[in-house]
Amino acid sequence: MRARVLAVLLTVLALLAGLLAAAPASATGDRATVVSERMVGDRLLELVVRSDALRAEVGVRLLLPQGWRARQGHRWPTLYLLHGCCGQKGGGHRDWTEKTDVAEHTRDLDALIVMPDGGQAGFYSDWLDGPAWETFHLTELRRLLERRYRSGPARAVAGLSMGGFGALSYAARHPGMFRAAASYSGVVHTTYQGPRTTDALRQIVRNFGADPDGLWGDPVADARIWAAHNPFDLARRLRGIPVYLSTGDGRPGPLDPSGSGHDGLEQLLGEQAVALAHRLDQVGVRVVTSFYGPGRHTWPYWERELHRSLPMLMRSIGVPINQ
């Protein structure tokens, strides 16, 4: 009898072990895994991360603080830097380190800086029909960073162009996750003047071979979904954190090559930023603006605005800065 009971128990345990082994990664909360990591500089760590939300492997770059290896038990304040879209001007997790001096400029800061891939036109969202970038960044990657790279609960977020949208949309959609947000030439009002903005945004998605309706649906029929992601419509949810907005107005400026022409995209984004700044002021959000007039949609301005906003971002997460 005892042997029979033991046999039954062993059978049950074997079945349970099989079920656990077959369970999806989401059941354990461990849905992003590091496929590879390599140092590509004294502080710069390149990761390839497998994401269940994206069903793909994507790149992430980390700038490690100087004391990261020595202070094994320390949890590090974290700044997320989000890239923009669209080819030569942006579109990948290496952009910030290859096109700006962010590595040198942050060398003495006691902060972990995270630069994740966001897709060439992913728009930092869980698509209605497509990739789940928001889940990857704010659930999978965040947990991975906390578990493996000692990221702490003090976080700030900043980004350029599409990444400026991501910074403000993420901060507004997830109150309490970020202590400050900054947008440089960001898409901060996705329905500004109706089709003038929505058609341009949908064309960007189309240019990269995706169905524009797969992102947030139709701007009219699915207006609620658009509003649920739009920083302008979410302005009230940014109360309690400082927000930094910067853009040019599209005219050639001091950091543009001689002979540069007018930049219609930067003009549009500048108008969006002005509209959002007024809205943030109306609802009591602490907003700092850097509307610098002449300036096109180019990296020298975004590097400069990172420098200008960095003290605010670092103060919000408790990191001393002498710049």
Side-chain angles (χ1 to χ4, degrees):
M1 183 66 177
R2 185 176 299 172
R4 185 176 179 182
V5 171
L6 182 59
V8 171
L9 287 173
L10 290 173
T11 301
V12 170
L13 288 172
L15 288 171
L16 287 173
L19 288 172
L20 289 172
S26 59
T28 66
D30 184 13
R31 299 182 60 192
T33 55
V34 175
V35 176
S36 67
E37 61 177 25
R38 65 188 180 96
M39 295 300 300
V40 292
D42 61 340
R43 298 171 50 229
L44 184 57
L45 181 62
E46 175 97 17
L47 308 179
V48 175
V49 176
R50 171 69 191 179
S51 163
D52 282 355
L54 301 174
R55 299 180 181 179
E57 294 179 1
V58 294
V60 178
R61 280 194 162 183
L62 307 180
L63 279 169
L64 304 174
Q66 295 282 12
W68 186 81
R69 292 178 181 82
R71 301 171 66 182
Q72 289 294 318
H74 188 69
R75 292 282 171 180
W76 296 94
T78 302
L79 171 64
Y80 288 74
L81 279 182
L82 308 182
H83 66 75
C85 79
C86 311
Q88 292 183 350
K89 290 185 178 179
H93 69 288
R94 297 189 178 102
D95 283 355
W96 276 106
T97 50
E98 292 184 348
K99 298 176 181 180
T100 77
D101 64 354
V102 62
E104 182 61 32
H105 195 71
T106 62
R107 178 169 297 278
D108 296 327
L109 298 183
D110 287 334
L112 176 67
I113 299 175
V114 180
M115 296 156 287
D117 196 350
Q120 286 193 305
F123 279 95
Y124 297 95
S125 302
D126 285 355
W127 287 40
L128 293 181
D129 182 14
W133 289 106
E134 187 170 357
T135 295
F136 169 61
H137 291 138
L138 302 189
T139 300
E140 293 182 350
L141 180 60
R142 174 182 58 81
R143 290 174 177 170
L144 177 64
L145 293 169
E146 290 169 349
R147 183 178 68 248
R148 184 159 176 160
Y149 301 100
R150 306 195 302 280
S151 174
R155 308 178 199 91
V157 61
L160 68 98
S161 194
M162 179 181 76
F165 162 81
L168 298 192
S169 184
Y170 278 178
R173 286 171 56 80
H174 300 269
M177 182 168 289
F178 298 102
R179 298 184 182 182
S183 166
Y184 319 126
S185 302
V187 185
V188 296
H189 189 344
T190 59
T191 56
Y192 177 76
Q193 294 188 348
R196 183 182 174 204
T197 293
T198 59
D199 286 358
L201 194 153
R202 287 164 62 82
Q203 186 59 48
I204 289 172
V205 174
R206 188 178 290 111
N207 288 346
F208 284 92
D211 177 6
D213 286 342
L215 179 55
W216 304 315
D218 179 83
V220 176
D222 299 300
R224 287 186 181 181
I225 299 173
W226 280 72
H229 293 83
N230 186 7
F232 183 88
D233 289 308
L234 298 171
R236 290 183 183 275
R237 295 170 67 89
L238 291 167
R239 287 188 292 196
I241 69 169
V243 172
Y244 185 93
L245 295 178
S246 70
T247 66
D249 61 16
R251 293 177 294 164
L255 304 183
D256 294 305
S258 176
S260 296
H262 182 266
D263 189 331
L265 173 60
E266 188 71 5
Q267 177 185 345
L268 175 60
L269 298 179
E271 292 174 22
Q272 291 180 14
V274 169
L276 177 59
H278 287 314
R279 180 60 181 157
L280 292 173
D281 188 61
Q282 286 176 344
V283 299
V285 174
R286 292 173 288 161
V287 58
V288 176
T289 60
S290 177
F291 298 154
Y292 43 85
R296 302 172 78 250
H297 201 67
T298 56
W299 278 96
Y301 295 101
W302 304 328
E303 178 182 81
R304 185 185 69 183
E305 293 307 306
L306 174 63
H307 291 189
R308 289 176 172 178
S309 61
L310 200 61
M312 182 201 85
L313 294 167
M314 291 296 104
R315 282 195 303 270
S316 75
I317 56 177
V319 176
I321 182 168
N322 298 315
Q323 299 173 357

